[in-house]
Amino acid sequence: MKESQSSTSKPGLFQRIFGSSTSVGEVGNKQLSDLVTLLGSTAGVIEGDFFRTTAKQLASVLGVSHCVMGVILPGDPIRLRSLAHYRNGSLHPDEEYDASPSPSGQVLELGSYYCAEGISEKFPLDPSLKVLGNGSCLGVIIPGPDGTPLGHLSVYDSKPLENPEFFEPVLRLFANRASAEIMRLRAVDSSRLALQRLETFTDEFPGWALAYKDHLNGKREIVFSNSRCEDLFGPVTAAKIMADPTSYRTFIHPDDLPDVLARRQACRARNEQIQLDYRVKVDSGEYRWMRVVAKYSGQSEDVKTVHSIMFDIETERRLSRQAVELSHQVGILIEAVPMAVILRDSAGTIQFMNGSARQILSLKADEWPGQSFASLEDLKTVAHSTLREIAHLDQAAWQSRERIDRQIFLHGASPDKQQALDCSWVPLFDDSGDRLGLVTTLRDVTEAIEEQRIRQHLQETDQRDRRMDALGRLAEGVSHEFENLLTAVLGYSDICLSRLGAVDENTLKIKDSLEKIRTAAGKASELSRSLLAFSARK
């Protein structure tokens, strides 16, 4: 990026913030206030004011006429909604706009975009740029947590930007802060939605919230409890627990009690939070699964304050069991699909292989678990040539971060018989970029390729027949026209011969010439009839 020079010398960023001061020590209260205001927009501006304040301050500090922040909306094609639009000294209402005809589309595609001049000519379909004429722009993406664009932050001016190399890192700083603000607002919305759902959920599945004093000798004193204890245990058990909180442990399942007591003691000693899932006996006499989240606090070892909430997770446990069953059914489904599926972990060990994959590799169901492709080579029954062809691109797939698709051909029982496979290698990575494994899929497309070859052959045959038919029609037309001309030649030759009178030397010469003309015309007529016969056959 080259710096655009302005014909008029203007103060730099530091001077625009601090005035005529040349060092921080010379900065006055007003300049410090401006700096605090600017930095405040990246730290604690609340809700929607952040974006508008930032756009206004950036435009002022950078000395540009426009500053726009937009966020990508769901859907296709890409559309954006402006978070802030500061233009020519005033903030404009938020609006939606298409990315494609504007510089924002280039920013989202390239990560950053700089136009030194002629912005309105380069984007004639964006009406908002017409006022800039031969102006310039610089924009960067507002990155999401995974680096994909959430939106863009762009500045525009009717003249070349005076220092684009410096502008870009400044914009990226504010873009990163804008990203954090967008994610914060989304988290707030998500939390608000989650809270609404939680309130709805607790209407039907309430939890028991309480605070109690936990004494070292085992005694408990309840200092707060909501009214949901009966909902979990029933009125009889709830009354016993409320009357004597120490008796609560007698309702815990004997198999779970030792672990519950041990973990509580460890967390109590360190004032830690604890989460436990265990079974508790209720009025019906059955044991139901409960989840307890508790936090220990207090400086004294003799008495600790415990804040706790308990939920009935019997339904959750049932759903978990159903999820396991569903996972099993999905495994059965993948096992039945005609496409081969092979899953390997980061060490190359095979974790899953369906029936189609075992068939292609000539493996039995008990031969592949815990094996790698290298160790499968030692098996006598494995299809070694197939295995080598599939493993040939493994190294590239392991090193790549993108899907690799290839078509390979395997020799069959005879040299002229080949099996065609569409193969895909999909590397798997976690959020931190560490390799998790590799999914390989194989699909037999031999019949599809053969069908395509037959269709192509039929198309070529049809095209050849069409050409021969056209040639036959041409020959027929030419033959008829030529025969008509020859008929006239033969007819006039006969007339001339019949009109010849006395036999003299000149007459004999003329007669001889006419006879030759007639003979040649006759041969030509025979040739025309042969051509006509050819066209009729075709």
Side-chain angles (χ1 to χ4, degrees):
M1 179 183 296
K2 295 183 179 179
E3 181 177 356
S4 299
Q5 299 293 335
S6 174
S7 59
T8 304
S9 177
K10 287 192 174 183
L13 178 64
F14 185 86
Q15 284 73 26
R16 281 203 293 273
I17 297 175
F18 298 108
S20 60
S21 303
T22 58
S23 68
V24 176
E26 300 176 10
V27 177
N29 291 334
K30 176 63 170 61
Q31 288 79 10
L32 286 176
S33 176
D34 292 342
L35 176 60
V36 169
T37 300
L38 175 62
L39 297 179
S41 68
T42 69
V45 180
I46 300 175
E47 300 296 334
D49 292 342
F50 165 81
F51 303 106
R52 292 174 174 267
T53 303
T54 300
K56 182 177 180 180
Q57 291 175 347
L58 272 178
S60 174
V61 172
L62 299 180
V64 296
S65 60
H66 291 54
C67 183
V68 180
M69 276 189 282
V71 64
I72 298 175
L73 297 173
D76 189 34
I78 298 177
R79 286 182 59 80
L80 299 105
R81 176 176 57 82
S82 59
L83 298 170
H85 188 177
Y86 183 80
R87 183 173 67 201
N88 295 328
S90 62
L91 288 165
H92 290 254
D94 295 343
E95 58 182 0
E96 295 185 8
Y97 54 97
D98 292 329
S100 56
S102 69
S104 58
Q106 294 294 309
V107 174
L108 297 178
E109 180 178 352
L110 303 177
S112 66
Y113 178 71
Y114 170 55
C115 176
E117 59 183 355
I119 186 67
S120 61
E121 294 180 1
K122 292 184 179 180
F123 299 92
L125 298 180
D126 190 339
S128 64
L129 301 179
K130 292 182 179 179
V131 296
L132 296 176
N134 195 37
S136 57
C137 79
L138 173 63
V140 299
I141 64 168
I142 299 175
D146 58 354
T148 57
L150 293 176
H152 76 101
L153 169 57
S154 304
V155 293
Y156 302 81
D157 204 10
S158 57
K159 57 186 179 304
L161 300 178
E162 63 182 37
N163 197 351
E165 290 86 356
F166 180 71
F167 281 16
E168 182 172 351
V170 171
L171 291 183
R172 290 197 183 278
L173 171 66
F174 281 87
N176 287 330
R177 178 59 185 91
S179 173
E181 184 67 11
I182 291 173
M183 298 308 297
R184 185 188 72 82
L185 293 175
R186 290 182 178 179
V188 169
D189 291 341
S190 178
S191 298
R192 186 179 296 113
L193 179 61
L195 182 59
Q196 293 173 353
R197 291 176 176 174
L198 180 60
E199 291 174 351
T200 302
F201 178 81
T202 53
D203 286 341
E204 299 181 4
F205 301 92
W208 180 34
L210 74 156
Y212 61 91
K213 299 291 185 180
D214 181 67
H215 295 264
L216 188 61
N217 60 9
K219 181 181 177 182
R220 288 183 175 182
E221 298 177 54
I222 296 178
V223 296
F224 168 80
S225 174
N226 66 2
S227 60
R228 304 303 183 185
C229 184
E230 289 188 7
D231 297 336
L232 293 180
F233 303 103
V236 176
T237 303
K240 292 179 181 178
I241 294 174
M242 296 300 292
D244 181 11
T246 309
S247 66
Y248 170 76
R249 66 185 58 183
T250 62
F251 297 97
I252 300 175
H253 195 286
D255 293 343
D256 301 334
L257 183 59
D259 180 60
V260 171
L261 295 178
R263 293 184 61 185
R264 279 182 176 175
Q265 183 178 0
C267 291
R268 186 184 191 279
R270 295 189 292 265
N271 281 348
E272 292 180 345
Q273 180 171 303
I274 184 174
Q275 176 175 311
L276 294 171
D277 293 352
Y278 55 85
R279 290 162 289 182
V280 179
K281 192 175 184 179
V282 297
D283 276 1
S284 63
E286 65 174 336
Y287 284 94
R288 296 183 64 84
W289 280 96
M290 305 289 178
R291 174 165 297 161
V292 178
V293 181
K295 179 68 173 67
Y296 289 83
S297 61
Q299 299 299 321
S300 172
E301 290 298 323
D302 291 335
V303 181
K304 298 286 186 178
T305 300
V306 183
H307 295 85
S308 174
I309 186 168
M310 175 180 286
F311 297 97
D312 186 332
I313 61 169
E314 188 69 31
T315 301
E316 179 182 330
R317 300 277 296 193
R318 185 179 72 252
L319 293 176
S320 178
R321 292 191 295 269
Q322 292 176 354
V324 172
E325 177 61 25
L326 179 60
S327 176
H328 176 67
Q329 293 176 0
V330 171
I332 295 175
L333 178 63
I334 297 177
E335 180 72 21
V337 298
M339 177 185 294
V341 180
I342 304 172
L343 172 64
R344 284 172 283 170
D345 61 18
S346 58
T349 303
I350 301 173
Q351 300 295 316
F352 178 81
M353 180 183 294
N354 68 351
S356 297
R358 296 195 299 271
Q359 182 178 4
I360 290 177
L361 295 176
S362 300
L363 289 172
K364 297 179 181 178
D366 59 348
E367 289 181 320
W368 63 267
Q371 301 287 334
S372 65
F373 272 18
S375 59
L376 288 178
E377 284 278 359
D378 298 331
L379 298 177
K380 295 181 179 180
T381 58
V382 72
H384 292 86
S385 60
T386 305
L387 185 64
R388 294 190 189 100
E389 287 287 347
I390 296 172
H392 180 66
L393 287 173
D394 269 10
Q395 190 62 29
W398 281 118
Q399 296 176 354
S400 173
R401 302 187 73 86
E402 297 181 356
R403 172 188 178 124
I404 296 178
D405 296 306
R406 294 288 188 276
Q407 190 172 87
I408 63 175
F409 294 90
L410 306 174
H411 292 294
S414 59
D416 59 336
K417 296 291 185 180
Q418 284 188 329
Q419 182 183 21
L421 296 177
D422 275 349
C423 306
S424 296
W425 290 263
V426 182
L428 306 176
F429 297 89
D430 61 16
D431 294 338
S432 61
D434 295 331
R435 188 172 64 188
L436 293 177
L438 180 68
V439 176
T440 305
T441 60
L442 316 169
R443 186 165 63 92
D444 192 331
V445 293
T446 306
E447 293 184 1
I449 291 178
E450 179 63 20
E451 291 175 358
Q452 176 64 25
R453 187 191 65 79
I454 293 174
R455 284 196 298 269
Q456 184 176 357
H457 174 72
L458 293 175
Q459 290 175 355
E460 292 174 352
T461 302
D462 182 65
Q463 291 175 357
R464 184 174 63 252
D465 291 343
R466 290 176 183 272
R467 288 195 298 269
M468 293 304 296
D469 182 64
L471 180 61
R473 288 196 297 270
L474 176 62
E476 182 179 5
V478 171
S479 298
H480 280 295
E481 293 296 329
F482 195 43
E483 184 67 25
N484 292 337
L485 295 174
L486 291 175
T487 300
V489 171
L490 290 171
Y492 282 110
S493 297
D494 291 338
I495 293 173
C496 291
L497 286 172
S498 64
R499 291 180 178 178
L500 289 176
V503 178
D504 54 26
E505 184 176 354
N506 290 333
T507 302
L508 290 175
K509 289 181 180 180
I510 292 173
K511 185 176 181 180
D512 183 58
S513 297
L514 289 173
E515 289 288 349
K516 290 180 179 180
I517 291 173
R518 196 177 186 287
T519 300
K523 292 181 179 180
S525 179
E526 292 178 0
L527 179 61
S528 176
R529 286 192 292 272
S530 298
L531 186 60
L532 186 61
F534 165 78
S535 67
R537 289 196 301 273
K538 295 302 179 183

